[in-house]
Amino acid sequence: MRRWVYLGFSLFVFTTQAGQLPLTVNEIGLMLRSGYSSSSVMQELSKRHFADTVDETKEKALVKAGASAELIEALESGIYSLSPEKTAVVQEQLAIAEQHRAEQAEASRKSDAAYQARVVRERSAKSAPTGPDVNFGAISEFLKGDLVQMHHGDPARVDDAAMANKKLIAFYFSAQWCGPCRKFTPQLVDYYKRVAPEHPEFEIVFYSMDRSLYAMEKYMREENMPWPAINFAKLKEKEVLAKHAGTGIPALVLVDSTGKVISSSQSGDQNFGPQKVLSDLDAIFAGKAPARVVSAQ
């Protein structure tokens, strides 16, 4: 028992001095895939050492990640390896850390699920009335001064004149915490980059369902959103836009320049998903009527 206490203490001192735990095959693979060269990895190994073994399967994984023959030979030779006792302690610490990360991820998932359920309830309550559509007036006026767009990674105010000639505006309801949104957004970015240059009368406007300005801007940066977004501070003033979005995200609501709803992800109790709106847009761009028109003002 004293021996393990001593080893644990020795390893604590070692890792404190090094600043980080020794490397494993998985971490080396991640480093190589993220752009580290094999020589850079070996320099890191000289500081942090190696707390793993290299079998045939792991060697193949390293080769696939881009490891040089020199790096693999160094790992297999054991020149960077810790003693078996210290390696065992490190592996135990890594297992504990992995369990902690899994517990945090599960707690975060439950928190996101609870938040999404609350958003659905609130939006359901707001969209319950079945009266006539709210008249936005000219969309460009309704959004005047309230749009931002990422420029070199930082939010910048959108020139109001840029919206003045838009005749088709698709409001995109989405959030960084929403898994289906993260899956759909790259598809929407590709669609926008394909059609927007040919149809300057068309625009997408992001309506964030995120919990904070930080999350919204992080989402916009990560997905390289090429369209403007409603200023996070102004979202509550624009909640009327969500009337036709339904109770789930991702969602798209397509309107004309006067605010008349042309197409939506949801109609009545049916959720068709955002792809329906893209199909309707393709039909409009082809000079045809949308497959299904949501109630007019």
Side-chain angles (χ1 to χ4, degrees):
M1 179 66 182
R2 287 182 179 177
R3 184 182 178 211
W4 281 102
V5 171
Y6 171 75
L7 284 171
F9 177 76
S10 299
L11 187 59
F12 170 77
V13 172
F14 172 78
T15 54
T16 300
Q17 292 173 341
Q20 292 174 297
L21 284 171
L23 294 170
T24 63
V25 168
N26 285 340
E27 289 174 324
I28 291 172
L30 287 172
M31 291 173 69
L32 292 167
R33 286 192 291 273
S34 66
Y36 277 73
S37 66
S38 292
S39 59
S40 297
V41 171
M42 286 192 284
Q43 289 177 7
E44 195 70 16
L45 282 163
S46 68
K47 302 173 187 175
R48 296 171 58 182
H49 299 277
F50 184 56
D52 205 344
T53 56
V54 180
D55 56 21
E56 184 178 353
T57 300
K58 290 180 179 179
E59 181 177 343
K60 288 180 179 178
L62 287 169
V63 171
K64 188 175 181 180
S68 67
E70 182 183 6
L71 172 57
I72 293 174
E73 182 181 351
L75 294 174
E76 292 177 337
S77 70
I79 62 173
Y80 297 117
S81 296
L82 295 172
S83 66
E85 292 86 356
K86 287 185 178 180
T87 296
V89 175
V90 170
Q91 293 290 357
E92 184 177 355
Q93 288 186 334
L94 291 173
I96 293 171
E98 181 60 32
Q99 182 180 355
H100 182 62
R101 283 194 293 270
E103 290 171 353
Q104 286 184 321
E106 178 62 15
S108 177
R109 185 193 66 77
K110 290 180 179 178
S111 175
D112 285 347
Y115 177 75
Q116 187 169 11
R118 181 166 64 84
V119 169
V120 168
R121 288 195 300 271
E122 290 175 354
R123 291 181 64 182
S124 296
K126 289 173 184 175
S127 61
T130 56
D133 291 351
V134 175
N135 190 338
F136 304 139
I139 285 293
S140 59
E141 287 297 315
F142 184 71
L143 299 175
K144 190 173 183 179
D146 296 335
L147 295 181
V148 294
Q149 190 163 3
M150 284 297 165
H151 184 68
H152 298 306
D154 294 313
R157 188 173 178 273
V158 173
D159 184 357
D160 294 326
M163 292 295 294
N165 297 320
K166 302 298 181 182
K167 298 178 181 178
L168 293 169
I169 302 94
F171 289 99
Y172 181 41
F173 298 84
S174 183
Q176 193 268 347
W177 50 261
C178 167
C181 299
R182 298 298 296 267
K183 183 176 180 180
F184 174 71
T185 299
Q187 300 174 35
L188 187 59
V189 169
D190 289 343
Y191 180 87
Y192 182 88
K193 289 181 177 179
R194 176 169 58 84
V195 304
E198 299 176 1
H199 298 279
E201 75 280 12
F202 167 64
E203 188 58 274
I204 292 176
V205 175
F206 176 40
Y207 187 110
S208 174
M209 304 300 292
D210 285 298
R211 309 177 193 184
S212 66
L213 173 62
Y214 171 79
M216 170 183 163
E217 292 182 351
K218 183 172 183 286
Y219 186 26
M220 293 172 69
R221 285 192 198 95
E222 288 177 343
E223 301 298 340
N224 295 313
M225 293 187 187
W227 48 71
I230 298 173
N231 189 324
F232 189 82
K234 299 288 186 177
L235 286 171
K236 283 198 172 294
E237 299 175 14
K238 312 299 181 186
E239 286 182 341
V240 66
L241 293 169
K243 180 177 180 182
H244 289 286
T247 57
I249 54 175
L252 283 170
V253 176
L254 179 66
V255 304
D256 66 13
S257 60
T258 69
K260 176 183 176 182
V261 178
I262 299 171
S263 178
S264 175
S265 297
Q266 182 146 337
S267 180
D269 295 331
Q270 290 185 289
N271 190 319
F272 297 95
Q275 291 288 358
K276 176 203 177 294
V277 178
L278 299 187
S279 295
D280 286 344
L281 272 166
D282 286 337
I284 292 170
F285 294 146
K288 303 173 183 178
R292 183 187 181 110
V293 178
V294 181
S295 57
Q297 293 183 353

